[in-house]
Amino acid sequence: MSDAYAFDADRYWADDHPVLELIRSRQSADSKPGSRVDGFKLGLAVEGGGMRGVTSAAMLVALDDLGLRGVFDAVYSTSSGSINAAYFMAGGDCWYPLTIYFDDLCTRKFVDMRNMFNKRPMLNLDYAFDEVLETIKPLDFEKILKNPAEFHITISLVDSLTPIGPHEFESREDLKSALKASCWMPVAVPGTGMFRGQRALDGGVLTAHPSLLAIEDGCTHVLSLSTKPIKPPPTRLSKGRRFSVAYLERIQKGLGQAYVASQLQYCTQRKQLQRWMTEPDPGAKVLDLAPLPWMKEVGNQTRDRDVLINAARHAHAVMAAAIQGIPVSEIRDGSFRSVPRIVTVRTANGERIG
């Protein structure tokens, strides 16, 4: 889509894109992981970014609503996208965990910008992992471990300056540790996390987008879920990112510069990803879906419930439109839109019972 911004604001992907064609054919054939006959490897890449993860979470809900959970061979994720992907891999109703963003995380119990000035976490990962994932909206770790599709969680190892994407987990605790390390967002969460005895940070520090890991891992086709709107990527680091560079250098010499290299490389690569949306590459076929340019971007620490719900609606509509061949113009004029499902549930001791 190299010139999409200039001459056709409503053509962001090809309706017959190879990724969409493969997804549709696998659904039609009721193809399952471990029993494919088409010879392809289809990856699902799920970006996060703190509260911005509500976007990729809603896209996963759309995939679930359309009955597409079983078409992927491997899932690649980072940051809050890893949590979204974990609920997707665990099965069950994806609408329920989506509400984590606007029911459980958009309060000062999780996001508190005042802590910027007292060296306490702006994002409370202990609350998210020990209360939300364990008791409020329990994540079924055992089902994830038994899922035949690979689940890669992108993590940045601090001391070796190495990005990794483990997918074989020894236990529930090992999986949970990987998820928490991948969500350890620099600055917003002081210090570092730990994974298998090594200091670790958010996977996005050294792997700017999980789609890159999917390509490196040999996927022939990748459905990429991005949480920043489709638009020309920045050509220079923002003031906030420059602060992050200095912060990372204090944690480990060379880490900040490795982060810069990763981000600048991805700026170039996202231009390619966006071009491949309408002009598929002869190599790996990548469809990088994201909020459309006129949709409001969610910040990493957003606590505005209305903003989060609207972002979820928009992202759900984008995914549903792409899969079903709905023109983007119908999203723009409001004739095609997503409406959140409202259901009643009863919980006992934090566990959903109906």
Side-chain angles (χ1 to χ4, degrees), residues 179-197:
L179 290 169
K180 191 170 185 178
S182 187
C183 291
W184 205 284
M185 186 178 293
V187 182
V189 187
T192 67
M194 295 293 293
F195 178 64
R196 295 177 181 171

Side-chain angles (χ1 to χ4, degrees), residues 4-5 7-13 230 292-295 314 317-318 321 326-338:
Y5 308 107
F7 69 84
D8 189 351
D10 283 338
R11 186 171 185 260
Y12 296 95
W13 58 80
I230 294 175
L292 299 172
W294 67 86
M295 295 175 176
H314 290 156
V318 167
I326 305 296
V328 169
S329 59
E330 294 190 20
I331 302 177
R332 184 189 290 272
D333 67 22
S335 57
F336 180 82
R337 55 185 175 178
S338 294

Side-chain angles (χ1 to χ4, degrees), residues 247-291:
Y247 176 88
L248 291 168
E249 283 292 324
R250 289 196 296 271
I251 290 178
Q252 173 67 32
K253 184 174 176 57
L255 184 59
Q257 292 308 309
Y259 167 69
V260 170
S262 174
Q263 292 296 315
L264 293 180
Q265 179 187 29
Y266 179 61
C267 284
T268 299
Q269 288 169 323
R270 192 168 191 198
K271 291 179 182 177
Q272 294 177 331
L273 291 178
Q274 292 176 348
R275 186 173 65 252
W276 293 346
M277 299 270 275
T278 55
E279 306 165 13
D281 186 75
K285 308 298 188 293
V286 182
L287 182 68
D288 184 39
L289 295 180

